[in-house]
Amino acid sequence: MSNFFGMGLIAGINSQEPYSSQHITRYCEDFRRGYVIGYTHSLMQLSGDSELVTRVAGSLTQKYGLNKEMMMEIYTEFQQDSSTNSFISGYTAAAQT
């Protein structure tokens, strides 16, 4: 059995920009979830801006059709209002485009 989550994680870490919604749809949900986590980890290393990272995670969660509540648990540091608001802001903005 393949580790699709791990493959997505590595792909996300190595991405310079996020995959398009059309490109990511060919991958399973585990890969997409790992990809978002890997990509945002890499973005955090580059930017150091946790609010930006959380907003991007929300946006990618919506664009990639991932479970909002599951992903929000990962990105909202101890359910802090600021990180929850950033995630929802990114998620909502992506839904409107």
Side-chain angles (χ1 to χ4, degrees), residues 38-49 52-53 56:
Y39 179 77
T40 55
H41 172 76
S42 181
L43 183 60
M44 184 63 178
Q45 297 299 309
L46 292 171
S47 73
D49 185 344
L52 168 69
V53 169
V56 168

Side-chain angles (χ1 to χ4, degrees), residues 12 15-21 32-68 71-72 74-76 82-95 97:
S15 288
Q16 299 298 313
E17 59 186 46
Y19 286 168
S20 70
S21 300
R32 289 180 279 153
R33 191 170 37 254
Y35 181 86
V36 171
I37 293 168
Y39 179 77
T40 55
H41 172 76
S42 181
L43 183 60
M44 184 63 178
Q45 297 299 309
L46 292 171
S47 73
D49 185 344
S50 62
E51 187 174 318
L52 168 69
V53 169
T54 306
R55 196 172 326 114
V56 168
S59 175
L60 294 178
T61 294
Q62 200 287 324
K63 288 180 181 178
Y64 296 172
L66 296 170
N67 181 287
K68 178 182 169 186
M71 294 300 285
M72 194 172 358
I74 295 168
Y75 288 96
T76 54
S82 62
S83 53
T84 300
N85 291 339
S86 293
F87 185 92
I88 291 171
S89 172
Y91 188 91
T92 303
T97 58

